[in-house]
Amino acid sequence: MAHSMGVERQQGSGKQLDLFDEILQASLRHGVSGKGGTGAGTCEERQSPAAWTEPLALTHMMMEQVASSANLNQAYKRVKANKGAPGADGMTVADLRGWIADNRERLIVSLLDGSYRPQPVRGVEIPKAGGKGMRQLGIPTVVDRLVQQAILQVLEPLLDPGFSGSSYGFRPGRSAHDALRQAREYVADGYGTVVDLDLEKFFDRVNHDILMARLSRRIGDTRLLAIIRRFLQAGMLVNGVCTERQEGTPQGGPLSPLLANLLLDDLDKELERRGHRFCRYADDCNIYVRSQAAGQRVMASVTAFLEGRLQLRVNREKSAVAPVEERQFLGHRLGKGGRLGIAPNSLARMKERLRAITRRNRGIALTTMIAQVNAFTTGWVTYYRHAQAQHALRQIDAWLRRKLRCVRLKQCKRTMSIATFLQEGGVPEWRAWVLALSGKGWWRLAGSPQAAEAMTIAWFDRQGLVSLANHHAALNITGNRRGT
């Protein structure tokens, strides 16, 4: 599928440094207007300049910033670094540079006159965490990702400073750990009951008119507003069938997290106005109160606000008012006094991932498997580095070593090879043969004293296996030295 602007070859356009150099200036010299081609927008978007407040009036030429050479070059580098799958047109990130060389001037002109039109997004379903149901992602084309990234780079510095201090998701300089630190402080201060709000299919239910109204309060450039609305309304292509979308902002595009934060900023401001203590990470919002009765009142009033004002739906089955230790937040579980642990579901999902990596029938070398295990576990432990989890991690270490022993014994294949391998590991000959001739299954063989004797913790250290418990302890020591 070709991009909607077509392909036009330009001779001598193969610059190797900045792909968009001087194109904006050339477009302006040719008289590109900054006021035409919107053809969309809410009533608020079509206000006359005299009706804008002073801050809004300052934003009526934002497409010039979006289409600037420096901004588009930065957006290209970010899209290239993020990689990602092709969209509906099949164009890969590797193909993007060549496309820009052919079409960069037409791209900039279409942005400046407001005529740019996105293609449908490619619908992809992925399993939700825990394997319960599927999550719908919408993958824009790489050109649309480039434009969204360019818009994001201009909008984020304008919008983000006005967001709530209790909002942490997808914001520069903020992280899940910051949200957890704040939540721990609330619990330590005696707010031990949590109102845990779950928004049902949030990204699929965003109301376009409400979102655009919030955006038009801050943006005066109708060209930019029109293009953003087109991104929201771009169809979803699934199995060759394109369906129109009247609501939702599909997960998968660079712009969606910022727009989600903009919409939910209304919730944040309402909670602040009421004096609540809360932490929000994207659509995951926890409000901390002192009692169950207070929590029930807050749940009822906030649900009415979300469903009435923002037309979002609260999932009654997954939302709850409960003691903090009975719920989880960002994969963690809070205990009394603000103690932080790892949620059981997070541990279960981690073990499922390790089971997949250490399958006995994968047919790869043990050293390769251990490298893949390390790549996953080091990142996972780093995320959970603030949790008190040494006991659980030591148990997982022991379970993981048994999984790898099982793999190594199965790679021996024959009785003679098993006995030889065990003897090479220091097991006496007669004990090695007792196990090799036992007829036990691989998992039982891996749990035997002989297997542990041949493949000790020191043996796994020599193979390069990183201990989860040791890595976690080292991160905590480093963090304590730094005062974090």
Side-chain angles (χ1 to χ4, degrees):
M1 182 186 297
H3 195 271
S4 57
M5 291 188 302
V7 175
E8 179 178 300
R9 184 72 185 174
Q10 297 177 7
Q11 299 298 324
S13 60
K15 288 189 178 181
Q16 296 301 311
L17 296 177
D18 293 330
L19 297 177
F20 296 94
D21 276 351
E22 301 180 358
I23 298 298
L24 174 60
Q25 290 77 4
S27 300
L28 293 174
R29 286 196 300 271
H30 283 84
V32 175
S33 171
K35 297 182 179 179
T38 59
T42 64
C43 293
E44 290 180 83
E45 294 166 22
R46 295 192 291 269
Q47 297 179 75
S48 66
W52 294 336
T53 62
E54 184 177 350
L56 185 62
L58 294 175
T59 65
H60 76 286
M61 296 291 285
M62 293 191 72
M63 282 309 301
E64 279 67 26
Q65 299 177 48
V66 172
S68 71
S69 172
N71 189 56
L72 287 171
N73 276 311
Q74 183 182 349
Y76 167 74
K77 292 172 183 175
R78 182 61 60 86
V79 170
K80 183 179 177 182
N82 289 342
K83 300 179 182 178
D89 62 354
M91 184 189 298
T92 67
V93 173
D95 298 330
L96 182 57
R97 185 181 184 90
W99 187 94
I100 292 171
D102 292 338
N103 296 276
R104 53 186 175 177
E105 186 167 0
R106 290 167 63 85
L107 171 63
I108 290 176
V109 169
S110 70
L111 293 174
L112 290 175
D113 67 14
S115 63
Y116 182 87
R117 293 191 176 274
Q119 286 201 70
V121 298
R122 181 166 69 90
V124 176
E125 287 190 336
I126 61 171
K128 289 184 177 180
K132 297 180 180 179
M134 303 295 288
R135 186 183 305 279
Q136 180 75 60
L137 297 184
I139 303 176
T141 66
V142 290
V143 176
D144 287 340
R145 297 208 294 269
L146 172 75
V147 174
Q148 286 196 35
Q149 181 64 37
I151 293 172
L152 173 67
Q153 291 166 184
V154 172
L155 287 187
E156 191 170 65
L158 176 71
L159 299 178
D160 188 82
F163 290 159
S164 167
S166 296
S167 166
Y168 296 92
F170 306 110
R171 297 185 60 188
R174 288 171 166 258
S175 68
H177 293 130
D178 296 323
L180 289 164
R181 187 179 301 111
Q182 183 62 75
R184 294 175 70 181
E185 291 179 8
Y186 291 147
V187 176
D189 288 341
Y191 295 85
T193 299
V194 63
V195 181
D196 187 356
L197 288 167
D198 183 272
L199 297 178
E200 185 176 315
K201 296 183 178 179
F202 167 71
F203 284 93
D204 297 333
R205 297 275 168 81
V206 170
N207 183 285
H208 292 172
D209 290 333
I210 293 176
L211 176 57
M212 291 305 301
R214 271 54 177 176
L215 195 58
S216 64
R217 294 172 185 170
R218 297 161 173 84
I219 306 299
D221 193 323
T222 55
R223 298 166 297 170
L224 179 55
L225 292 169
I227 289 174
I228 292 175
R229 180 177 277 275
R230 290 180 196 132
F231 273 120
L232 292 173
Q233 294 177 333
M236 179 81 73
L237 188 66
V238 179
N239 297 325
V241 178
C242 186
T243 57
E244 294 184 357
R245 291 188 299 116
Q246 303 301 323
E247 61 180 3
T249 172
Q251 294 173 267
L255 201 52
S256 291
L258 179 66
L259 297 179
N261 274 333
L262 175 63
L263 181 63
L264 290 175
D265 190 56
D266 275 24
L267 170 63
D268 299 340
K269 295 300 192 293
E270 179 66 16
L271 294 176
E272 289 176 346
R273 186 186 68 80
R274 299 181 186 185
H276 289 308
R277 292 157 178 80
F278 70 98
C279 295
R280 183 178 64 78
Y281 193 94
D283 59 336
D284 195 353
C285 184
N286 279 3
I287 307 168
Y288 298 91
V289 296
R290 291 189 182 274
S291 69
Q292 187 77 12
Q296 296 293 351
R297 291 193 298 270
V298 171
M299 175 67 81
S301 62
V302 173
T303 297
F305 175 85
L306 286 167
E307 297 186 342
R309 182 80 64 86
L310 300 182
Q311 296 186 24
L312 298 171
R313 187 177 301 172
V314 174
N315 189 323
R316 267 69 170 181
E317 293 182 1
K318 294 183 179 180
S319 300
V321 178
V324 291
E325 57 266 23
E326 295 180 9
R327 306 294 291 180
Q328 66 178 46
F329 183 48
L330 300 176
H332 292 72
R333 176 162 288 181
L334 286 162
K336 293 181 179 179
R339 183 178 58 83
L340 197 64
I342 303 177
N345 287 347
S346 300
L347 291 169
R349 287 195 295 270
M350 184 262 282
K351 291 185 71 173
E352 282 301 314
R353 176 62 179 146
L354 289 176
R355 283 191 183 95
I357 296 173
T358 59
R359 289 197 316 271
R360 297 193 296 270
N361 59 354
R362 291 191 63 199
I364 62 175
L366 185 68
T367 52
T368 302
M369 184 176 290
I370 287 176
Q372 293 176 0
V373 167
N374 290 342
F376 169 69
T377 59
T378 52
W380 188 91
V381 170
T382 299
Y383 177 74
Y384 289 100
R385 63 186 179 273
H386 298 303
Q388 298 180 26
Q390 276 293 298
H391 177 68
L393 294 182
R394 281 195 294 269
Q395 289 182 321
I396 292 172
D397 272 335
W399 171 82
L400 178 58
R401 286 192 295 268
R402 183 172 177 178
K403 291 283 292 181
L404 293 170
R405 288 182 184 118
C406 190
V407 171
R408 183 64 188 89
L409 289 172
K410 187 173 188 291
Q411 288 177 346
C412 292
K413 296 183 180 180
R414 295 178 177 84
T415 301
M416 173 67 77
S417 300
I418 294 173
T420 301
F421 172 74
L422 293 174
Q423 291 176 66
E424 290 173 349
V427 179
E429 182 180 3
W430 71 272
R431 293 182 63 231
W433 278 104
V434 166
L435 185 67
L437 294 169
S438 67
K440 295 178 179 178
W442 297 114
W443 182 246
R444 291 185 66 193
L445 289 176
S448 67
Q450 293 96 318
E453 187 176 338
M455 293 175 277
T456 62
I457 294 177
W459 184 87
F460 280 110
D461 289 342
R462 292 193 296 273
Q463 308 308 310
L465 181 65
V466 176
S467 162
L468 281 75
N470 291 347
H471 183 50
H472 185 266
L475 289 172
N476 277 324
I477 291 171
T478 304
N480 291 333
R481 286 175 179 169
R482 294 175 178 172
T484 58

